[in-house]
C-alpha cells in the first residue's frame, strides 16, 4: 500500500486523518525529518491515499467515529512496529450550528470525532508510546499531540457561536490535561494550527497547511515533559484557557 521503507533506526509518528489537509502536511514534514510515518485514513482507496503514499511507511484504515475501528488500531500498529514516538490526533470535523440550529446530532458528531476519539486513541496508544526507546530519555519523552483549536479557548471566545466545535475542542484540551497529569512519562500537548487554508475552512485562512505544519513540527520537536498539558499556538506560545 505504501512504498516508503520503514527504517527501524528512526523514530515513528502516527498521524490520524493523514490523507489530506493539515494531517497530510504534518506527514510530509515528519517524513522530511527522518521519521517513519504511519498515516491513518478513513478511506484507503488509492485515490484517497495517493499523496500520503509518497511519505508513509504504512497507511492504516481508521474511522475515528467508530469505537470498533479504534479498537483495531493497536494490533494494526503492532504488526508494523513495537513502539511509537509521537501520536498526532489530527482527524477532526467542523459543522455549522448556532442558536436555532443546535441539535443533539451536531453536538454528538463534534464530541465523538473531536474529543472522544482522541481520548480513546491516546489511551489505546499508551503501551506503544511507553515502549519507545526514546521515552526513557526525559527530555525526549514520547509525545501525544492533540490538534486543537483556539476556538476551544473559553477566555478567547469574543464572538460566540460554533457551539459544538468550540465545546468539543475545549473538551479535548481538558482531556489532554488529565492525560498529562496521569501519565508523566509521556508528553501531551494541544496545538492550535492557526486559521489554515484547508477543505475545513473552504480554502480560507491566513496560512497554508504546508507552512502551518512546518511551524507545528518545530513546536512538537521542542516540547518536553515540562510542557505536558499545555495549550499552544503553532509558534509555541501559551493560549489562555
Ligand atoms: P480537513 O477537513 O481538510 O481534514 C480533516 C481530516 O480529518 C481529513 O483527513 C478527514 O478524513 C479526517 N476525518 C474527519 N472525520 C473523520 C473520521 N470520522 N474518521 C477518520 N478521519 C476523519 O481539515 P483540516 O486539515 O483543516 O483539520 C485538521 C485538524 O485541524 C482538525 O482537528 C481541525 O479541527 C483542526 N483545526 C483546523 C483549523 C483550520 O483553520 N483548518 C483551525 C484549527 C484547528 P476524510 O478525508 O476521510 O474526510
Amino acid at each position: 500500500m505504501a512504498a516508503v521503507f520503514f527504517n527501524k533506526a528512526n523514530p515513528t509518528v502516527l498521524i490520524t486523518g493523514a490523507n489530506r489537509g493539515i494531517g497530510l502536511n504534518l506527514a510530509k514534514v515528519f517524513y522530511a525529518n527522518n521519521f517513519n510515518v504511519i498515516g491513518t485514513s478513513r478511506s484507503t482507496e488509492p485515490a484517497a491515499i495517493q499523496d500520503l503514499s509518497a511519505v508513509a511507511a504504512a497507511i492504516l484504515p481508521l474511522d475515528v467515529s467508530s469505537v470498533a475501528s479504534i479498537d483495531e488500531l493497536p494490533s494494526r500498529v503492532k504488526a508494523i512496529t513495537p513502539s511509537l514516538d509521537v501520536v498526532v490526533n489530527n482527524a477532526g470535523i467542523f459543522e455549522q450550528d448556532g442558536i436555532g440550529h443546535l441539535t443533539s446530532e451536531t453536538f454528538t458528531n463534534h464530541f465523538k470525532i473531536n474529543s472522544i476519539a482522541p481520548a480513546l486513541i491516546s489511551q489505546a496508544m499508551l503501551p506503544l508510546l511507553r515502549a519507545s526507546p526514546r521515552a526513557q530519555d526525559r527530555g525526549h519523552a514520547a509525545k501525544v499531540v492533540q490538534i486543537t483549536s483556539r476556538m476551544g479557548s473559553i477566555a478567547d471566545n469574543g464572538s460566540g457561536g460554533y457551539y459544538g466545535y468550540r465545546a468539543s475542542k475545549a473538551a479535548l484540551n481538558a482531556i489532554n490535561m488529565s492525560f498529562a497529569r496521569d501519565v508523566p512519562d509521556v508528553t501531551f500537548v494541544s496545538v492550535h494550527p492557526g486559521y489554515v487554508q484547508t477543505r475545513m475552512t473552504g480554502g480560507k485562512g491566513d496560512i497554508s497547511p504546508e507552512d502551518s505544519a512546518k511551524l507545528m513540527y518545530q513546536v512538537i520537536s521542542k516540547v518536553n515533559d515540562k510542557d505536558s498539558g499545555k495549550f499552544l499556538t503553532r509558534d509555541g506560545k501559551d493560549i489562555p484557557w
Side-chain angles (χ1 to χ4, degrees), residues 17-23 41-43 62-65 89-93 113-114 147-150 165 169 192-201 204:
N19 54 304
R20 61 184 171 95
I22 292 168
S41 178
R42 174 164 35 184
S43 166
L62 175 66
D63 178 345
V64 302
S65 69
N89 282 308
N90 163 77
I93 58 157
I113 291 165
N114 294 353
I147 302 298
T148 186
S149 171
R150 185 184 275 278
Y165 188 75
K169 292 295 190 181
H192 167 59
Y195 183 32
V196 188
Q197 294 145 359
T198 64
R199 205 181 296 172
M200 183 174 281
T201 61
K204 292 186 187 143

Side-chain angles (χ1 to χ4, degrees), residues 5 14 38 66 80 84 91 99 115 125 152 154 186:
F5 174 66
L14 180 136
I38 301 176
S66 157
I80 300 158
L84 291 172
I99 294 171
S115 328
M125 294 299 108
I154 295 168
V186 176

Side-chain angles (χ1 to χ4, degrees), residues 16 88-93 110-122 144-153 164-180 188-193 229-231 241:
T16 67
V88 183
N89 282 308
N90 163 77
I93 58 157
H110 278 112
F111 276 106
K112 210 187 252 188
I113 291 165
N114 294 353
S115 328
I116 298 169
L120 297 183
I121 293 165
S122 298
V144 177
V145 181
Q146 322 289 5
I147 302 298
T148 186
S149 171
R150 185 184 275 278
M151 288 175 75
S153 166
Y165 188 75
R166 286 189 190 279
S168 68
K169 292 295 190 181
L172 174 60
N173 294 341
I175 288 163
N176 187 63
M177 182 62 91
S178 282
F179 270 105
F188 290 83
V189 287
S190 286
V191 182
H192 167 59
K230 284 187 175 174
F231 176 19
W241 297 103

Side-chain angles (χ1 to χ4, degrees), residues 49-81:
I49 56 168
Q50 193 181 348
D51 294 342
L52 180 58
S53 302
V55 296
I59 299 174
L60 301 178
L62 175 66
D63 178 345
V64 302
S65 69
S66 157
V67 173
S69 183
I70 294 173
D71 285 347
E72 285 170 9
L73 190 61
S75 59
R76 291 189 199 276
V77 177
K78 279 182 205 151
I80 300 158
T81 174

